Amino acid sequence: MELKLYDTLTREKREFVPIDWQDSSILADRRRVRMYVCGPTVYDFAHIGNARPVIVFDVLYRLLRHLYGEKRVTYVRNITDVDDKINARAAERGISIRDLTEETYKNFKDDVAALGCLPPDVEPRATEHIDEMKVLIERLVASGNAYVAEDHVLFSVPSMKDYGKLSKRPLDEMIAGARVDVAPYKRDPMDFVLWKPSKAGEPSWPSPSGIAAPGRPGWHIECSAMSWKHLGESFDIHGGGIDLVFPHHENEIAQSCSAFHTSVMANIWMHNGFLQVEGEKMSKSLGNFVTIRELLRTDRFGSQRWSGEVLRIAMLRTHYRKPIDWTVAGLVESEKALKTWARALLPFMAKGFDDDSNSSTEFVPRAMLVALCNDLNTPAVLAELHRLVPRVNEGSYEAARALLAALRFLGIGHLPIFGAMAAIEETDDVEKLEKFRDFVVDQMESKVQQLIRRRSEARAAKNWAQSDRIRDELAATGVE
């Protein structure tokens, strides 16, 4: 099945062929699909805008694993744990930077697990890759692409002839968009920081080769270093929000391509669209700034608690490249959809239908996979799920199996009976409700025991990555 993805660099939908599959010298069992996505800066709870790229690229990760095999995909999503916002928030709260980043990172992991997202294969921290950043900076200085000035190291933008090829902006727009600091030591207004001195109380490391003052890296060099470390000089897919195209991703390309003397950092650049809340830009000043945690607990805009499945469906109702308007009405519609699917599957669930064999990806409808392979057309996928409901209601085992498999594939219903409890929450039949609750408990206990057994097996085999993934899945169900 042909996978086509929209490439921001070329502004066209392109057939996706992994780099390793184009190189006949790489043995088949060593081929990997490699994807890097910019992750959170861990200084506060993640807001609902942060959830969009996490969910979008989780769906792509699932699709790639289906097409190429689970062990053939390496998904890297970084953690930025050194940043001005982190320093300021730690000082504001009177705690150490490490304590702040550890707390915020845990909150982020818990929140995205509740949204049904699989953990990436690698979650590198910026502070653990300072050496790689120094190597890149030293290379850039040696090649003439960077220079030292007043204890800073800066990238020389004019040294890269095709700078701006990703954002395709005129120079004056790039200068405005970059919010460049006016500094007398810059050779060009567009030059950006690779290394800068640290202020008192801020994290600090010896500079690359001792060429500048002790300090810390600039934001852009972090992702170039981490993607290089875990995916190589060039890799398949680089993703993130549309707000990162310029200057962050533009500068990543400049650094990586200059350091490695290559024309390509990533074969495909993917970006999800902006998110608004009730038709307005999300802003604390407007009072419409909402975090994932708030929506999962109590929604200030609707006085209601929303499940992770509902939030995920609401996000997938809009194509990832289009702007999305996050509204209470959209959440209500998403919850209705979840209840519709749950009610349809409930008779099958009660007969022990909910097991791994019936949720296998081999039962995912072909029409759904075709839609996903068409640049992740999730609205078309959800429409396909609704088309299955009448047949499921008529008692079709095949349709029910396809619906369950499709929901699991999308990361909806990652718990044994997902939103089925919500489907009967208005019932007056107390006895029926109690019996169903007993069924839920039994199913949960069975699922948890299976996960614990699989984790023990993974640990015994020293498969630490698999062990950690199962641990995170258990954590999502409240089990530690």
mmCIF file of all heavy atoms in Angstrom, residues 424-443:
data_model
loop_
_atom_site.group_PDB
_atom_site.id
_atom_site.type_symbol
_atom_site.label_atom_id
_atom_site.label_comp_id
_atom_site.label_asym_id
_atom_site.label_seq_id
_atom_site.Cartn_x
_atom_site.Cartn_y
_atom_site.Cartn_z
ATOM 1 N N ILE A 424 -23.633 3.653 28.846
ATOM 2 C CA ILE A 424 -24.829 3.267 29.597
ATOM 3 C C ILE A 424 -24.965 4.078 30.878
ATOM 4 O O ILE A 424 -25.685 3.702 31.787
ATOM 5 C CB ILE A 424 -24.809 1.768 29.945
ATOM 6 C CG1 ILE A 424 -23.599 1.422 30.823
ATOM 7 C CG2 ILE A 424 -24.836 0.902 28.718
ATOM 8 C CD1 ILE A 424 -23.697 0.058 31.462
ATOM 9 N N GLU A 425 -24.285 5.227 30.927
ATOM 10 C CA GLU A 425 -24.271 5.988 32.170
ATOM 11 C C GLU A 425 -25.641 6.553 32.532
ATOM 12 O O GLU A 425 -25.903 6.868 33.691
ATOM 13 C CB GLU A 425 -23.261 7.134 32.071
ATOM 14 C CG GLU A 425 -23.579 8.134 30.988
ATOM 15 C CD GLU A 425 -22.478 9.173 30.835
ATOM 16 O OE1 GLU A 425 -21.447 9.047 31.514
ATOM 17 O OE2 GLU A 425 -22.662 10.098 30.036
ATOM 18 N N GLU A 426 -26.548 6.690 31.525
ATOM 19 C CA GLU A 426 -27.867 7.244 31.838
ATOM 20 C C GLU A 426 -28.889 6.175 32.218
ATOM 21 O O GLU A 426 -30.036 6.483 32.491
ATOM 22 C CB GLU A 426 -28.416 8.007 30.620
ATOM 23 C CG GLU A 426 -27.548 9.173 30.158
ATOM 24 C CD GLU A 426 -26.603 8.783 29.048
ATOM 25 O OE1 GLU A 426 -26.501 7.568 28.772
ATOM 26 O OE2 GLU A 426 -25.955 9.667 28.473
ATOM 27 N N THR A 427 -28.468 4.909 32.278
ATOM 28 C CA THR A 427 -29.440 3.844 32.517
ATOM 29 C C THR A 427 -30.052 3.901 33.920
ATOM 30 O O THR A 427 -29.411 4.319 34.871
ATOM 31 C CB THR A 427 -28.793 2.464 32.300
ATOM 32 O OG1 THR A 427 -29.808 1.465 32.457
ATOM 33 C CG2 THR A 427 -27.693 2.208 33.319
ATOM 34 N N ASP A 428 -31.304 3.501 34.030
ATOM 35 C CA ASP A 428 -31.982 3.410 35.335
ATOM 36 C C ASP A 428 -31.936 1.990 35.881
ATOM 37 O O ASP A 428 -32.390 1.732 36.991
ATOM 38 C CB ASP A 428 -33.459 3.839 35.192
ATOM 39 C CG ASP A 428 -33.581 5.326 34.856
ATOM 40 O OD1 ASP A 428 -32.727 6.095 35.344
ATOM 41 O OD2 ASP A 428 -34.503 5.692 34.118
ATOM 42 N N ASP A 429 -31.399 1.064 35.080
ATOM 43 C CA ASP A 429 -31.337 -0.331 35.490
ATOM 44 C C ASP A 429 -30.098 -0.536 36.364
ATOM 45 O O ASP A 429 -29.004 -0.813 35.876
ATOM 46 C CB ASP A 429 -31.275 -1.228 34.243
ATOM 47 C CG ASP A 429 -31.456 -2.711 34.595
ATOM 48 O OD1 ASP A 429 -31.151 -3.078 35.750
ATOM 49 O OD2 ASP A 429 -31.887 -3.473 33.712
ATOM 50 N N VAL A 430 -30.277 -0.397 37.687
ATOM 51 C CA VAL A 430 -29.162 -0.466 38.623
ATOM 52 C C VAL A 430 -28.481 -1.828 38.572
ATOM 53 O O VAL A 430 -27.251 -1.937 38.597
ATOM 54 C CB VAL A 430 -29.631 -0.156 40.060
ATOM 55 C CG1 VAL A 430 -28.465 -0.309 41.037
ATOM 56 C CG2 VAL A 430 -30.197 1.239 40.133
ATOM 57 N N GLU A 431 -29.280 -2.900 38.507
ATOM 58 C CA GLU A 431 -28.714 -4.245 38.488
ATOM 59 C C GLU A 431 -27.834 -4.447 37.253
ATOM 60 O O GLU A 431 -26.728 -5.000 37.350
ATOM 61 C CB GLU A 431 -29.834 -5.288 38.494
ATOM 62 C CG GLU A 431 -29.312 -6.718 38.551
ATOM 63 C CD GLU A 431 -30.438 -7.744 38.584
ATOM 64 O OE1 GLU A 431 -31.617 -7.332 38.629
ATOM 65 O OE2 GLU A 431 -30.129 -8.941 38.554
ATOM 66 N N LYS A 432 -28.310 -3.977 36.101
ATOM 67 C CA LYS A 432 -27.552 -4.099 34.865
ATOM 68 C C LYS A 432 -26.237 -3.323 34.981
ATOM 69 O O LYS A 432 -25.173 -3.799 34.571
ATOM 70 C CB LYS A 432 -28.378 -3.571 33.691
ATOM 71 C CG LYS A 432 -27.640 -3.627 32.358
ATOM 72 C CD LYS A 432 -28.522 -3.089 31.239
ATOM 73 C CE LYS A 432 -27.776 -3.117 29.913
ATOM 74 N NZ LYS A 432 -28.603 -2.553 28.815
ATOM 75 N N LEU A 433 -26.318 -2.130 35.563
ATOM 76 C CA LEU A 433 -25.137 -1.299 35.711
ATOM 77 C C LEU A 433 -24.108 -1.962 36.615
ATOM 78 O O LEU A 433 -22.904 -1.966 36.327
ATOM 79 C CB LEU A 433 -25.526 0.072 36.265
ATOM 80 C CG LEU A 433 -24.410 1.124 36.364
ATOM 81 C CD1 LEU A 433 -23.787 1.367 35.002
ATOM 82 C CD2 LEU A 433 -24.961 2.425 36.934
ATOM 83 N N GLU A 434 -24.582 -2.545 37.735
ATOM 84 C CA GLU A 434 -23.664 -3.211 38.669
ATOM 85 C C GLU A 434 -22.988 -4.407 38.017
ATOM 86 O O GLU A 434 -21.792 -4.647 38.197
ATOM 87 C CB GLU A 434 -24.419 -3.643 39.929
ATOM 88 C CG GLU A 434 -24.848 -2.494 40.832
ATOM 89 C CD GLU A 434 -23.665 -1.693 41.340
ATOM 90 O OE1 GLU A 434 -22.582 -2.284 41.551
ATOM 91 O OE2 GLU A 434 -23.797 -0.467 41.508
ATOM 92 N N LYS A 435 -23.761 -5.175 37.254
ATOM 93 C CA LYS A 435 -23.177 -6.324 36.570
ATOM 94 C C LYS A 435 -22.114 -5.881 35.572
ATOM 95 O O LYS A 435 -21.065 -6.503 35.434
ATOM 96 C CB LYS A 435 -24.274 -7.123 35.837
ATOM 97 C CG LYS A 435 -25.154 -7.951 36.771
ATOM 98 C CD LYS A 435 -26.162 -8.752 35.969
ATOM 99 C CE LYS A 435 -27.014 -9.625 36.888
ATOM 100 N NZ LYS A 435 -28.006 -10.406 36.117
ATOM 101 N N PHE A 436 -22.415 -4.792 34.878
ATOM 102 C CA PHE A 436 -21.454 -4.311 33.901
ATOM 103 C C PHE A 436 -20.185 -3.809 34.581
ATOM 104 O O PHE A 436 -19.075 -4.011 34.096
ATOM 105 C CB PHE A 436 -22.073 -3.200 33.048
ATOM 106 C CG PHE A 436 -21.203 -2.819 31.879
ATOM 107 C CD1 PHE A 436 -21.094 -3.643 30.783
ATOM 108 C CD2 PHE A 436 -20.479 -1.644 31.898
ATOM 109 C CE1 PHE A 436 -20.277 -3.320 29.717
ATOM 110 C CE2 PHE A 436 -19.667 -1.301 30.836
ATOM 111 C CZ PHE A 436 -19.573 -2.134 29.741
ATOM 112 N N ARG A 437 -20.360 -3.164 35.715
ATOM 113 C CA ARG A 437 -19.185 -2.698 36.454
ATOM 114 C C ARG A 437 -18.321 -3.875 36.895
ATOM 115 O O ARG A 437 -17.090 -3.809 36.858
ATOM 116 C CB ARG A 437 -19.625 -1.875 37.669
ATOM 117 C CG ARG A 437 -20.073 -0.463 37.312
ATOM 118 C CD ARG A 437 -20.578 0.288 38.512
ATOM 119 N NE ARG A 437 -20.930 1.651 38.160
ATOM 120 C CZ ARG A 437 -21.737 2.420 38.864
ATOM 121 N NH1 ARG A 437 -22.306 1.945 39.964
ATOM 122 N NH2 ARG A 437 -22.002 3.646 38.501
ATOM 123 N N ASP A 438 -18.961 -4.953 37.325
ATOM 124 C CA ASP A 438 -18.206 -6.150 37.702
ATOM 125 C C ASP A 438 -17.427 -6.687 36.501
ATOM 126 O O ASP A 438 -16.268 -7.113 36.626
ATOM 127 C CB ASP A 438 -19.150 -7.235 38.229
ATOM 128 C CG ASP A 438 -19.744 -6.865 39.582
ATOM 129 O OD1 ASP A 438 -19.162 -5.984 40.250
ATOM 130 O OD2 ASP A 438 -20.772 -7.453 39.960
ATOM 131 N N PHE A 439 -18.089 -6.663 35.343
ATOM 132 C CA PHE A 439 -17.439 -7.124 34.110
ATOM 133 C C PHE A 439 -16.214 -6.256 33.803
ATOM 134 O O PHE A 439 -15.143 -6.759 33.439
ATOM 135 C CB PHE A 439 -18.446 -7.060 32.953
ATOM 136 C CG PHE A 439 -17.815 -7.140 31.586
ATOM 137 C CD1 PHE A 439 -17.259 -8.327 31.129
ATOM 138 C CD2 PHE A 439 -17.772 -6.028 30.761
ATOM 139 C CE1 PHE A 439 -16.675 -8.400 29.878
ATOM 140 C CE2 PHE A 439 -17.185 -6.095 29.514
ATOM 141 C CZ PHE A 439 -16.643 -7.278 29.065
ATOM 142 N N VAL A 440 -16.363 -4.937 33.971
ATOM 143 C CA VAL A 440 -15.265 -4.016 33.714
ATOM 144 C C VAL A 440 -14.077 -4.324 34.618
ATOM 145 O O VAL A 440 -12.933 -4.402 34.183
ATOM 146 C CB VAL A 440 -15.713 -2.549 33.927
ATOM 147 C CG1 VAL A 440 -14.512 -1.607 33.862
ATOM 148 C CG2 VAL A 440 -16.737 -2.146 32.875
ATOM 149 N N VAL A 441 -14.348 -4.519 35.905
ATOM 150 C CA VAL A 441 -13.290 -4.811 36.869
ATOM 151 C C VAL A 441 -12.548 -6.093 36.490
ATOM 152 O O VAL A 441 -11.320 -6.159 36.511
ATOM 153 C CB VAL A 441 -13.862 -4.913 38.296
ATOM 154 C CG1 VAL A 441 -12.798 -5.439 39.253
ATOM 155 C CG2 VAL A 441 -14.358 -3.557 38.756
ATOM 156 N N ASP A 442 -13.324 -7.131 36.138
ATOM 157 C CA ASP A 442 -12.707 -8.400 35.748
ATOM 158 C C ASP A 442 -11.817 -8.227 34.524
ATOM 159 O O ASP A 442 -10.701 -8.764 34.462
ATOM 160 C CB ASP A 442 -13.792 -9.445 35.440
ATOM 161 C CG ASP A 442 -14.519 -9.902 36.705
ATOM 162 O OD1 ASP A 442 -13.978 -9.671 37.805
ATOM 163 O OD2 ASP A 442 -15.611 -10.465 36.582
ATOM 164 N N GLN A 443 -12.331 -7.476 33.540
ATOM 165 C CA GLN A 443 -11.564 -7.253 32.320
ATOM 166 C C GLN A 443 -10.285 -6.480 32.615
ATOM 167 O O GLN A 443 -9.212 -6.788 32.087
ATOM 168 C CB GLN A 443 -12.409 -6.487 31.286
ATOM 169 C CG GLN A 443 -13.542 -7.300 30.686
ATOM 170 C CD GLN A 443 -13.009 -8.402 29.782
ATOM 171 O OE1 GLN A 443 -12.266 -8.136 28.851
ATOM 172 N NE2 GLN A 443 -13.378 -9.629 30.052
#
